[in-house]
Amino acid sequence: MDDDVVLQIKNLSKSFGNNKVLDGINLQVHKGMVIGLMGENGAGKSTMMKCLFGIYAKDEGQFTLSGRPIDFKSPKEALENCVAMVHQELNQCLDRTVVDNMFLGRYPLRFGIIDERRMQKECINLFHSLEMNVDPRRIMRTMSVAQRQMVEIAKAVSYNAKLIVLDEPTSSLTDNEVEKLFSIINNLKTQGVSFIYISHRMDEIFHICDEVAVLRDGKMILTKDTKTADMDEIISAMVGRSLEKRYPDVDNVPGDYCFEIKNLTTKYAPVLKDISFSVRRGEIFGLYGLVGAGRSELLEALFGVRTIASGSLLYDGRKLHFNSSRDAMDSSFALVTEERKFNGMFVKASIEFNTTITNLESYKTGGILSNRKMLDAANREIVQMKTKCVSAAELISALSGGNQQKVIIGKWMEREPEVFLMDEPTRGIDVGAKYEIYQLIIKMAKAGKTILVVSSEMPEILGITNRIAVMSNHRLAGIVDTKDTDQEALLKLSAKYV
């Protein structure tokens, strides 16, 4: 084996029962290289990484780290051997400080007492070296998802890792933060650090990766230098067919105005200020803005999760007043949240439970829950959403991120909402599954549903909406017709109140 091969994977296979999810995988990661790992949701990317980090026991194959055979039994053992992973779904102690999270499980001691001064100093030095502006004393819960993501990346670096796995690392980052991340990666590359970069964003793969590897149905379909690869080739390798268009035709015809927000201001920080707009029946209404602009907070206010201080909501001329999400649900509203594991699903429950939990009254017979009705509902949504799973009894935590998202959307579809609020609905989802969700959104709009969709991806927000409202510093900066605007106009509006 070459001296500069940091990680070699030989003939890796893994099955769950009769389902073979990894089939003879071979891959090499060289020193100072970034290799992009792509594939549809359920292709085997997560299983491959879980085998590397000892979460799953492999059936066949061998991992070699710098020429030495390895068989980690836990992520902790991997970290101790300079192999780290930054997960898309962050798992942090939110009520502790940044410095506590950085040193969790490895607190330095001085005379038998935790040396907090040393922890603070090492944190400050690390953030300074990475050019990150982070206060080590800040409580994690008070930080944005983007800020917490950057802390997790810094934590991986603090282990002096030779190999860092990044799983959808930019899904919650602003454009400036993405550039900062890429700068950090390039800097670490010069120091010999290698990366496995899992992403569904093609532009990032071509921008930061030296090679791209594509998994499909548990097999390694393509490994190629990004300089000689092209987007169509990668998409074809991922989905097994050519995908002529990234976005379907937005052929819904919006009707009359039905949903109106008047002078909405929220009570608690971050405070939304004096927001007004109207949305039509059957319209796909986009919400764009930089991370932290207030898009998610607006959806939460509309769903009764965030307290409204003043202003009003009207639907078909009827004034709405939501004190809770239950009130919103009873008024035929639905919300797909940005962080699915944090507040979008029951992680330790089955697909069936997660599909039916929001609509239990519909599955009763004689006042008693019907197991048959619940199972029928779960199977109906598995088919409609094209969810890759063993059965409705499978734990939702066993699914890939994209298939988890399909279950979450499916649970709301069971309620047949009139107003569908969707916060980053395609976050962490592969290009094929994204297309399916775009088609579903357009289908709902054509059926007369009113859709409000938040997206951080400008091509996406321009590709699937009728109109776009742009948020800037918790205020409404402007509303544009999608067909008459472009990325430059959206960026100008998003910086209006910054």
Side-chain angles (χ1 to χ4, degrees):
M1 188 175 72
D2 294 342
D3 290 339
D4 72 338
V5 175
V6 174
L7 177 71
Q8 182 163 35
I9 303 173
K10 283 187 177 180
N11 197 36
L12 175 66
S13 295
K14 175 66 180 177
S15 297
F16 295 100
N18 295 324
N19 184 25
K20 195 158 192 175
V21 293
L22 293 176
D23 189 2
I25 299 295
N26 292 288
L27 186 68
Q28 284 189 350
V29 183
H30 293 260
K31 184 176 180 180
M33 163 195 273
V34 181
I35 186 162
L37 184 60
M38 304 194 76
E40 289 191 281
N41 296 112
K45 304 185 300 295
S46 295
T47 302
M48 181 175 159
M49 292 302 104
K50 287 177 178 178
C51 288
L52 171 62
F53 283 86
I55 299 169
Y56 291 157
K58 62 186 184 299
D59 296 336
E60 299 175 44
Q62 178 65 62
F63 292 108
T64 304
L65 185 67
S66 298
R68 174 173 57 90
I70 54 171
D71 189 13
F72 300 141
K73 302 303 181 188
S74 68
K76 183 176 184 293
E77 186 179 344
L79 274 172
E80 290 167 349
N81 284 271
C82 302
V83 179
M85 182 167 182
V86 178
H87 296 269
Q88 178 188 356
E89 304 292 347
L90 302 175
N91 188 16
Q92 298 165 317
C93 298
L94 297 182
D95 293 316
R96 305 298 298 179
T97 63
V98 169
V99 71
D100 283 335
N101 276 268
M102 290 286 291
F103 283 92
L104 196 63
R106 50 171 182 155
Y107 290 119
L109 300 178
R110 187 168 184 264
F111 305 125
I113 301 172
I114 294 174
D115 191 346
E116 296 198 17
R117 181 177 293 181
R118 175 182 163 190
M119 288 162 55
Q120 291 273 359
K121 184 178 179 181
E122 289 187 10
C123 256
I124 290 169
N125 290 340
L126 176 63
F127 291 136
H128 180 72
S129 69
L130 296 175
E131 297 181 2
M132 291 184 186
N133 184 22
V134 179
D135 181 357
R137 297 164 297 181
R138 190 168 174 183
I139 300 294
M140 295 294 289
R141 189 178 295 279
T142 66
M143 303 171 71
S144 69
V145 177
Q147 291 168 325
R148 291 195 280 119
Q149 184 101 348
M150 297 302 274
V151 168
E152 203 66 14
I153 291 166
K155 182 177 178 179
V157 173
S158 75
Y159 277 88
N160 296 317
K162 296 178 183 176
L163 174 68
I164 300 176
V165 180
L166 299 175
D167 187 3
E168 296 286 350
T170 65
S171 59
S172 298
L173 303 185
T174 65
D175 290 342
N176 287 339
E177 287 165 333
V178 170
E179 288 303 317
K180 172 61 65 179
L181 172 63
F182 288 170
S183 175
I184 291 169
I185 291 173
N186 285 324
N187 182 37
L188 292 171
K189 277 177 61 178
T190 64
Q191 300 173 38
V193 179
S194 304
F195 293 86
I196 296 176
Y197 190 97
I198 303 172
S199 179
H200 293 116
R201 296 182 175 180
M202 295 283 178
D203 54 338
E204 292 180 4
I205 293 295
F206 285 104
H207 185 81
I208 195 65
C209 298
D210 303 295
E211 284 188 7
V212 58
V214 178
L215 283 173
R216 186 175 79 237
D217 298 329
K219 294 183 173 67
M220 188 63 75
I221 302 298
L222 174 74
T223 306
K224 197 166 186 180
D225 191 309
T226 52
K227 291 186 179 68
T228 59
D230 64 66
M231 188 178 295
D232 290 340
E233 180 182 22
I234 293 172
I235 291 174
S236 180
M238 286 172 62
V239 302
R241 65 188 189 281
S242 62
L243 198 63
E244 294 178 359
K245 297 191 297 182
R246 292 185 67 182
Y247 304 101
D249 292 331
V250 182
D251 55 357
N252 61 306
V253 180
D256 296 331
Y257 287 99
C258 63
F259 182 40
E260 186 175 6
I261 294 95
K262 285 186 175 181
N263 308 115
L264 185 145
T265 298
T266 54
K267 189 172 184 180
Y268 302 108
V271 173
L272 303 177
K273 303 164 188 173
D274 196 30
I275 293 173
S276 300
F277 59 83
S278 298
V279 189
R280 293 171 288 184
R281 185 173 280 104
E283 181 175 22
I284 305 170
F285 190 80
L287 288 170
Y288 182 74
L290 304 177
V291 172
R295 302 164 306 166
S296 297
E297 289 81 1
L298 177 57
L299 293 193
E300 289 170 358
L302 300 182
F303 197 64
V305 178
R306 190 169 289 272
T307 304
I308 296 175
S310 61
S312 58
L313 309 179
L314 293 95
Y315 187 76
D316 279 343
R318 177 172 55 93
K319 194 169 183 178
L320 305 174
H321 184 73
F322 301 152
N323 289 317
S324 67
S325 56
R326 169 55 63 186
D327 291 343
M329 290 164 63
D330 289 343
S331 292
S332 203
F333 279 58
L335 171 64
V336 175
T337 58
E338 179 183 9
E339 293 187 79
R340 51 181 168 262
K341 284 191 177 179
F342 180 60
N343 52 16
M345 67 188 195
F346 291 87
V347 180
K348 296 182 180 180
S350 67
I351 295 169
E352 179 183 336
F353 181 92
N354 276 279
T355 302
T356 57
I357 188 61
T358 61
N359 203 32
L360 292 178
E361 289 299 321
S362 298
Y363 311 124
K364 288 182 178 179
T365 301
I368 299 172
L369 278 173
S370 166
N371 289 330
R372 180 187 60 78
K373 286 185 176 180
M374 293 171 72
L375 182 59
D376 287 348
N379 286 330
R380 178 167 58 245
E381 293 305 331
I382 286 170
V383 172
Q384 176 168 301
M385 299 302 300
K386 300 179 183 177
T387 307
K388 291 183 181 178
C389 61
V390 176
S391 72
E394 188 175 5
L395 291 178
I396 194 170
S397 58
L399 303 182
S400 65
N403 283 300
Q404 289 173 354
Q405 189 78 327
K406 288 181 177 182
V407 173
I408 291 166
I409 294 174
K411 82 178 177 187
W412 291 116
M413 294 293 289
E414 282 293 299
R415 289 188 62 88
E416 299 182 351
E418 291 301 316
V419 180
F420 215 135
L421 312 173
M422 309 184 84
D423 195 351
E424 303 282 6
T426 65
R427 179 185 170 202
I429 294 179
D430 65 80
V431 64
K434 279 185 177 183
Y435 197 87
E436 292 170 1
I437 290 178
Y438 300 150
Q439 289 177 313
L440 176 65
I441 289 171
I442 294 167
K443 181 181 177 182
M444 288 192 296
K446 291 171 78 170
K449 310 298 183 185
T450 299
I451 318 290
L452 276 73
V453 58
V454 167
S455 178
S456 297
E457 297 186 38
M458 273 197 285
E460 179 175 87
I461 206 80
L462 289 166
I464 63 165
T465 60
N466 303 117
R467 289 187 299 153
I468 304 166
V470 182
M471 301 283 291
S472 177
N473 197 20
H474 309 109
R475 286 183 279 182
L476 182 64
I479 299 174
V480 294
D481 285 324
T482 303
K483 64 181 183 299
D484 298 326
T485 195
D486 56 22
Q487 294 192 20
E488 184 180 353
L490 293 185
L491 278 174
K492 284 181 178 178
L493 282 171
S494 66
K496 185 174 181 178
Y497 298 120
V498 174

